[in-house]
Amino acid sequence: MYARVPTINPLFITIFSFEIEGAGVSPVSALEQLYKEVILPRLCAACGACVGNCPYLVKYKGRTVKLDSCSRADGRCYAYCPGANFDPESISQAIFSQPYDTSGLGSFTEVRASRSTSNEILSMAQGGGTVTSLMSMALETGILDAAIVTSAKGSEGFPCGVIATTARAVQESAGSKFVGAHTLDALNLAIERGFTRIGIVGLPCQIRSLRKMQVYDIKDQHLKERVRLVVGLFCNWSFSADEFQSFISKKVGDKKIRKYDVPPPPSNKLIVETDDGAESIALEELKPLIQGACRECSDMTSEFADISVGMYEGRPGWNTLMIRSKTGLDLIETATHVGVIETEQFPEENLNHLRQASLNKKERVSLTKIETGSSQACHD
């Protein structure tokens, strides 16, 4: 049995304040609002939260597609979308029980350098393999009964979310994909299938959506209790999956791709590792493929996760590890105790650099929103 956590849903106040012109007090359809504000202007991050929660929304070749109309005003499609009415203050209060930290990196208690102690994981994972090691351990020790991760081998050849129930399944999904992959679609499926100790690895947009799902929990699915662990990844941008797929196919042909990597600045390159060697592509060439949603996302470090993990600039083979909650701290202490990861002190100079990089992204987003006249206010 789960205890329902009482929450006030300010989103519904917003939804029900709208009226269809000439139709009395009828509320606006959530799906139509989502379509008008997010899908039509191509501001969908392809997080996948709406897919699987609505019969009229599907993923198709990396995009979210609306199949039909719907009259529901309280639809989860709009309520859970990270691009619609995300309020960092209320989410921070609900998740961390403290005000939103506006100093650049969100709330955190500690930052460390970390890496996996497994040579096998280090050989297949991105950076230090911290995330792969943590999720593998969490499944093996029973902390979790399911892990939602992103696999490169999705339907139609596009990356997608999968439900991993073994360490091997987690390891098969290791490595960055650099595209929106509708990962939360797999979370919706895991909830449907009855998993009760779920962990998730996601990009900042996916973590924001997940936190909205937990806080609002419109269908009373006990999401705050069932999603036990939230691991966020650092992210500056992701590519539109179908455009990226088409671009890469022209570049490398039918060579089997083993891994993508974007080395730290000043490289400004995407490295595509294939069975025939590595190919280097200038990021400038790829910029037109960046999702519109990423240009309006101010969250570089997954500020609402239990732990956030990213590259450690200047130290290949290691990660930057941010601990944000007691859940995150407990996991890291367990992982270091059993020896699946090792950690070291993170230099203050590097932390200042990370903070400045995050603040720079927030400033770029604010300028973009001013230039485009975006209807979504930049709250953070």
Side-chain angles (χ1 to χ4, degrees), residues 31-339:
L31 178 53
E32 296 312 315
Q33 251 184 301
L34 182 76
Y35 184 71
K36 180 183 171 187
E37 293 180 19
V38 179
I39 298 175
L40 191 59
R42 301 194 66 174
L43 294 177
C44 173
C47 73
C50 60
V51 176
N53 274 329
C54 170
Y56 307 120
L57 289 167
V58 297
K59 59 183 180 184
Y60 178 70
K61 293 187 175 180
R63 293 184 184 276
T64 305
V65 177
K66 172 176 167 267
L67 297 178
D68 206 343
S69 298
C70 170
S71 61
R72 290 188 69 105
D74 60 346
R76 289 174 290 177
C77 58
Y78 188 78
Y80 296 164
C81 177
N85 293 322
F86 184 86
D87 179 3
E89 183 59 36
S90 64
I91 297 294
S92 181
Q93 290 286 0
I95 301 301
F96 301 125
S97 301
Q98 61 186 48
Y100 175 58
D101 185 328
T102 59
S103 63
L105 296 171
S107 299
F108 65 92
T109 57
E110 193 179 349
V111 182
R112 301 183 195 176
S114 65
R115 69 175 177 180
S116 173
T117 56
S118 161
N119 288 330
E120 184 185 7
I121 288 178
L122 284 171
S123 70
M124 66 176 73
Q126 209 83 23
T130 300
V131 173
T132 303
S133 288
L134 291 175
M135 298 308 278
S136 297
M137 179 203 72
L139 285 172
E140 286 177 332
T141 57
I143 295 172
L144 304 177
D145 60 4
I148 308 303
V149 294
T150 302
S151 169
K153 302 167 187 171
S155 58
E156 303 172 324
F158 293 93
C160 71
V162 295
I163 304 170
T165 56
T166 64
R168 178 52 57 188
V170 169
Q171 290 157 20
E172 286 173 355
S173 295
S176 297
K177 314 304 181 296
F178 295 104
V179 298
H182 292 92
T183 303
L184 294 183
D185 183 26
L187 172 65
N188 293 328
L189 185 58
I191 291 164
E192 224 176 84
R193 288 172 55 183
F195 289 102
T196 57
R197 303 189 308 280
I198 303 170
I200 182 164
V201 180
L203 301 174
C205 55
Q206 293 162 344
I207 302 307
R208 287 181 167 223
S209 178
L210 169 68
R211 292 308 196 188
K212 290 179 80 176
M213 294 169 76
Q214 288 183 298
V215 171
Y216 303 147
D217 202 1
I218 293 170
K219 289 287 185 182
D220 202 13
Q221 294 170 299
H222 311 291
L223 301 178
K224 206 166 182 178
E225 296 79 15
R226 294 174 67 181
V227 179
R228 301 279 184 93
L229 174 64
V230 180
V231 178
L233 305 173
F234 290 4
C235 177
N236 257 317
W237 36 254
S238 290
F239 299 119
S240 168
D242 59 341
E243 293 175 3
F244 181 69
Q245 192 96 326
S246 171
F247 179 94
I248 291 296
S249 294
K250 288 175 187 169
K251 285 285 183 183
V252 305
D254 57 2
K255 294 175 187 171
K256 186 178 178 184
I257 295 171
R258 299 171 58 190
K259 191 176 180 181
Y260 295 109
D261 191 21
V262 176
S267 82
N268 285 321
K269 290 175 182 174
L270 172 78
I271 307 297
V272 186
E273 290 183 19
T274 73
D275 282 347
D276 294 338
E279 301 220 8
S280 174
I281 302 170
L283 288 183
E284 196 62 33
E285 226 181 317
L286 291 157
K287 276 186 178 175
L289 313 183
I290 293 173
Q291 295 184 122
C294 302
R295 301 183 193 279
E296 300 210 354
C297 176
S298 57
D299 186 348
M300 191 187 83
T301 60
S302 289
E303 295 174 12
F304 299 93
D306 292 312
I307 60 169
S308 300
V309 182
M311 301 299 287
Y312 184 162
E313 283 192 23
R315 199 170 180 190
W318 284 76
N319 289 120
T320 301
L321 169 66
M322 301 185 71
I323 302 170
R324 300 185 183 276
S325 71
K326 185 176 184 309
T327 298
L329 178 61
D330 290 345
L331 181 80
I332 299 306
E333 286 186 343
T334 302
T336 51
H337 178 71
V338 300

Side-chain angles (χ1 to χ4, degrees), residues 296-297 364-374 376-378:
E296 300 210 354
C297 176
R364 286 197 302 273
V365 168
S366 290
L367 289 173
T368 298
K369 291 189 174 187
I370 291 170
E371 288 169 3
T372 60
S374 169
Q376 294 296 311
C378 185

